[in-house]
Every structure is written in structure tokens, then in C-alpha cells.
Amino acid sequence: MSNIATSKRKVAIIASHGGLDEAYPSLILANAARQSGIEAFVFFTFWGLDIITESKVDHLHVNLAGNASSGMPTMIAGLPGMESLAAKMMRKQMEELELPSVREMLQILDESGAELYACELAMKMFKRSKEDLLPQVKDVITAGDFYDLADGAQIIFT
Amino acid sequence: MEVPRPHDHQLAAVSAKLDALSQQVGLIVERQRKTEELFAEMTPILKLAMGVASERLGDLERRGYFEFATEMLKVADRVVTGFGPSDVRQLGDAIVGILETVRAMTQPEVLAVAGEASAVLQNADQAEPMGILGMVRATRDDDVQKGMAVMMELMRHVGRAAQLVSDKRAASPLEQKRSKLATITGAKKKKVLGVERPAPAAPAAPRAQAEPKAPAASCGVPQTAPSPVAAVLDGVGFSADGHLADPTQWTAELAVKIAAAQGVGMSDAHWKVVEFVRADFEATKVSPNIRRITQATGVTTKDLYTLFPKAPARTVAKIAGVPKPAGCI
């Protein structure tokens, strides 16, 4: 009668991009996994660090330039102010759909038991310390540590 | 001592006034006499002067001064009818600024720049059509770069001045009154460049307060018809994903049984969530997702995962006898 995953199913999601449109897929996948009774780990690396950085999480942008799906010519999409305009429009649309903000999504993930990790190498590259990150981040670990943690998990790269 | 009678007192005042009057009369007579003398002396001089003047006027007439003056009067008349006294007062205030501007603009260097620019405009017909690439290429030219810098600086100053003007206008009492009035009456804003603004949303109907707000589109589609029955247990039909096929068949006893099968022992905290989910489904025909449950019941996400381990929204939906929640948040 039950089809909720009773096995020890795990997903390990690697978030490597920091755009608003790039943050949601990883966060929603992780949340959906938790809602389906699947263990979830999220590893934030490179630009993905912005998603869990206190000063950046509320100001993630949408990059239209070079995005064929944006429907906007790259010449125009690259103009100053376009990306923040796009981010604003996307935020508005998400609000209409009652999607939680990125910050709220991370809180929900933390409360639902998903584990969030920051990449040590990326932290060094971007000169960030643990204090710059959101409190929901469990630890700063290396890619090798992440593999150990996510032993037996399905890995999703976003 | 004898007190002076009122009569004497009035007499004294009248005689004092008379004295003053006679003095003034003397002065007037004196002035009149001097004027007469002046006229007597002036008459020959004036005659001479008038002769010269009329000669001069005739001369002016010949040279077209009067015609010019009449035309000028017409211009002045047009100016007067076009402008009010307050405009003239403002002009008086601004005259120093105007003169300074004119002086700055008529400096030889400035005129040279303007002359150079107008020479280009005169030869505008010889200019080659240019696309975006041409524009980009042109920016490599030193002169174009310099010109762009000048234009940018000009734009910066114009912008700053425009800001000052708008600040000043906003600060003026008339404008303040107007904006205050607009906020009270809710007057619609003036359309700018024909851009149509959407009308402000109508106030929510009172019934919206009585009914729970329908969840947003991200939370799935309403389900009114019972799901197809895939299995029947104890005379109750279940759908393929393990939810009660017909939510109306739900009973509290059944809920306890389903909960037990899910490994959940029902407590008051469990019932609070289950009752909300049933009530919400009743009202919206949509199974609430975790976010909706936490926001409506005040139970935190963390507690929800403790009460209903593994997928809370789905487990609660099963226990509450409603379909599987569709949203992904």
C-alpha cells in the first residue's frame, strides 16, 4: 500500500551556479526529495556559494546573455541593468506562484532534514569564511568528504 | 488760580491752525511766482528746442525709426498679452542668470564648438548611413571619444539640473497640496507617453475573508472526482498511490488504522494537522503541501518531519484520506 521510499534512498545534489534561476532547481530537487522521504545532501561549490552566502542570497541575479531560452538577443541581454530587471521580474512571478524565497527555501530544507555543505576550495577561492555563510550550512568540506557523505547516493549536478 | 474755560481753549487751537495755514499759502504763492519766472525764461529756449526736435524727428521719420518703433510696439503688445505680471517678476529674478548664460555661451571658444557642429549639420546630406557595428568602430576615433565624453558630462549636468527642478517643484506648497489632494481623492496619475497603466486592483470581496484562499498554481490542480480504485481493503477503496480513493469515505477510526500502517501513532498534535488537511481539502479541493500546512497550523517544518517521519505531506494526506499532494514545495 505504501510507495513512499522505504529503502535508504539518497540524493547528492551539487549546486555550482549562483543565478536565481540556477539556484531553484537544486533547492527544489532537494526539497522534493525530502518530501518523498529521500535523504538529501546539497554541496554548494563555485558560484553556487552565493546561494548560501548571507550577503548575496537575497540578491541573486538572472543572467539572460547567452541564454537561448530567454528569448532576448544577447546584444540586448548584456546591457547594464538587464539582469537585475530580469531577476526582479522572476522574483515577482515566483511570488505570484507563492514560491518561497531562496533564503526561505534553505530554511525549509534545513528543517526538513536536508544537509547543506559548502565547498572548501571554492571558499578559499572566493575568500569567504564560515561566518559569511548562512547558519543552515552544516559544514565546509572538500569534494572528497562530500563523496564519503553521499555514499550510495544518486548524484545530481546542477 | 482760575481754570481756563473750554471756550478759550478751542479759540487758541483755531488761531494756531490759522497761523500754519497762512504760512503754507505764503509758500504756494512763492512757488507759483518762481514757476512763472521759469516759464518766461524757458519759452525762447523751448521754442528753439522744439524746432531742432521737429527737424530731428523729421529726419528720424525719413530714416524709418518710427515705422520700426510701431512694429516694435506690436511685438511688445504680443509679449504683454502672452505673459502675465508674475512672469515678468520671475524674469527679473532670473535676469542675472540669463545674462551669465548668454555671456558663457557667446565666449569665442563655445561659439567655435557650435560653429564646427553646425558646419557638420549643413553637410548632413553627405553623411554615410551607419549601423551598430559602424558605431562601435567609430568609438575608436579619438575625436569621437572626446565628443562622447563632452556629451556625457553635458548629460550629467542636465540630469542634475533636472533633478533640482523636480525637487524644487515637489517642495513647492502648491505641488504639495496637489499631491495631498491626489492621495485623498485617489486621482489617477497622468498618463506618460501614452503608457497604459493597469487599473488598481479592486478591493477584495468580503466573501474572500470567509473562505480560505485557494492555493497558488504551484500547488496543483483541484481534484473533485474520486480517484480510480486500485485496491479494496476492509471494504474501502484505495488509489494506486495508496491514498483513499473517495475522501468522503474517511472516518476517524480509518485514519488511526492508516496511521498505524504508516508507523504513526496518532496524538493530539497529529490530529491537529490531520484536521487542518481535511478542512483545507474540503474548502479548496487541493491537498495542502508542507508549506501550506506549516503556515496555517503554526507547526514547524521540523516538527512536521518528526510527527510524520519521511514524506510528511504525503503521509498526512494518506491519514486524512485526501489525494497525494501535487506541489513540489
Side-chain angles (χ1 to χ4, degrees):
Chain A
M1 167 169 140
S2 167
N3 68 335
I4 292 174
T6 42
S7 61
K8 274 279 172 201
R9 233 179 121 187
K10 279 184 183 180
V11 287
I13 297 163
I14 301 167
S16 65
H17 291 106
L20 184 62
D21 52 332
E22 293 154 328
Y24 272 100
S26 20
L27 301 182
I28 289 177
L29 278 174
N31 190 46
R34 287 305 298 140
Q35 287 197 13
S36 309
I38 301 170
E39 276 185 61
F41 303 88
V42 192
F43 185 60
F44 296 92
T45 184
F46 274 80
W47 306 111
L49 272 186
D50 282 0
I51 303 170
I52 49 168
T53 301
E54 179 67 51
S55 59
K56 305 240 178 187
V57 64
D58 296 324
H59 312 286
L60 298 179
H61 279 187
V62 178
N63 192 10
L64 294 175
N67 179 356
S69 304
S70 78
M72 192 175 277
T74 296
M75 268 307 272
I76 298 167
L79 292 176
M82 281 314 278
E83 54 165 29
S84 58
L85 180 79
K88 200 183 255 179
M89 281 166 66
M90 193 171 274
R91 281 206 183 87
K92 207 179 142 208
Q93 205 161 11
M94 282 168 170
E95 220 166 83
E96 277 167 16
L97 283 173
E98 285 179 18
L99 274 177
S101 68
V102 173
R103 187 185 280 274
E104 211 183 331
M105 279 294 291
L106 288 164
Q107 272 162 8
I108 291 172
L109 277 178
D110 183 50
E111 286 182 1
S112 68
E115 293 179 8
L116 313 177
Y117 296 98
C119 170
E120 196 188 276
L121 180 66
M123 291 282 281
K124 277 182 189 154
M125 264 188 66
F126 291 108
K127 297 199 171 48
R128 281 182 203 161
S129 65
K130 184 93 173 43
E131 287 73 52
D132 299 329
L133 303 180
L134 290 171
Q136 285 89 15
V137 179
K138 204 171 172 194
D139 208 353
V140 180
I141 59 172
T142 65
D145 294 338
F146 180 70
Y147 272 128
D148 290 345
L149 270 169
D151 183 27
Q154 290 160 308
I155 291 181
I156 304 169
F157 186 87
T158 63
Chain B
M1 279 267 289
E2 198 187 340
V3 182
R5 282 173 302 169
H7 196 64
D8 289 350
H9 187 70
Q10 280 169 353
L11 262 178
V14 168
S15 76
K17 267 187 188 157
L18 271 174
D19 283 349
L21 208 64
S22 71
Q23 239 171 13
Q24 276 176 10
V25 168
L27 261 175
I28 289 167
V29 170
E30 176 74 2
R31 205 175 285 165
Q32 179 73 21
R33 195 176 55 75
K34 280 192 174 159
T35 314
E36 272 167 22
E37 273 173 23
L38 184 70
F39 266 112
E41 282 170 24
M42 281 296 282
T43 308
I45 302 173
L46 275 175
K47 270 182 185 157
L48 198 68
M50 281 305 278
V52 175
S54 60
E55 206 171 293
R56 194 53 76 71
L57 283 173
D59 183 42
L60 289 179
E61 169 84 76
R62 268 195 305 283
R63 282 157 63 182
Y65 268 77
F66 288 109
E67 217 170 310
F68 181 78
T70 347
E71 287 306 311
M72 275 310 281
L73 266 179
K74 279 183 198 158
V75 172
D77 187 51
R78 235 174 268 167
V79 169
V80 168
T81 47
F83 292 87
S86 62
D87 292 320
V88 178
R89 210 168 301 127
Q90 280 181 357
L91 183 70
D93 294 341
I95 194 76
V96 177
I98 291 171
L99 286 177
E100 266 172 16
T101 311
V102 170
R103 189 175 59 191
M105 281 180 71
T106 49
Q107 291 298 305
E109 301 86 16
V110 179
L111 284 178
V113 173
E116 190 78 15
S118 58
V120 174
L121 287 179
Q122 271 171 1
N123 299 326
D125 53 329
Q126 289 163 21
E128 300 261 326
M130 195 183 266
I132 290 176
L133 275 179
M135 261 168 71
V136 173
R137 211 174 300 128
T139 54
R140 278 188 300 199
D141 189 289
D142 281 354
D143 292 338
V144 172
Q145 283 179 4
K146 184 78 187 164
M148 268 159 65
V150 172
M151 280 302 183
M152 287 295 154
E153 194 60 27
L154 188 70
M155 273 155 84
R156 191 170 296 129
H157 279 80
V158 170
R160 208 177 291 154
Q163 185 60 42
L164 275 177
V165 169
S166 68
D167 285 354
K168 210 169 162 189
R169 199 160 286 166
S172 81
L174 183 72
E175 197 64 24
Q176 277 174 356
K177 223 181 272 174
R178 200 173 290 161
S179 67
K180 208 172 172 184
L181 195 71
T183 50
I184 292 167
T185 58
K188 57 174 185 253
K189 269 198 164 172
K190 226 183 229 175
K191 266 192 276 170
V192 182
L193 292 172
V195 173
E196 197 75 53
R197 283 169 193 277
R207 61 166 191 85
Q209 290 165 345
E211 277 176 26
K213 201 179 91 172
S218 65
C219 302
V221 272
Q223 187 177 349
T224 43
S227 316
V229 177
V232 178
L233 290 165
D234 300 341
V236 183
F238 287 88
S239 67
D241 49 14
H243 292 254
L244 211 59
D246 183 3
T248 54
Q249 287 190 317
W250 183 86
T251 59
E253 293 79 48
L254 189 60
V256 176
K257 273 193 210 166
I258 300 170
Q262 297 290 319
V264 175
M266 295 297 283
S267 71
D268 285 352
H270 290 90
W271 278 115
K272 185 181 161 194
V273 178
V274 169
E275 272 157 21
F276 164 75
V277 170
R278 276 204 69 78
D280 196 51
F281 181 79
E282 202 76 12
T284 63
K285 300 295 171 208
V286 175
S287 301
N289 57 32
I290 291 181
R291 190 146 181 262
R292 196 167 164 85
I293 296 172
T294 53
Q295 280 176 346
T297 60
V299 178
T300 64
T301 311
K302 205 167 186 170
D303 290 344
L304 208 57
Y305 272 89
T306 326
L307 288 172
F308 305 96
K310 298 277 177 183
R314 285 165 71 177
T315 310
V316 175
K318 278 183 180 173
I319 298 171
V322 299
K324 181 177 154 186
C328 49
I329 301 299

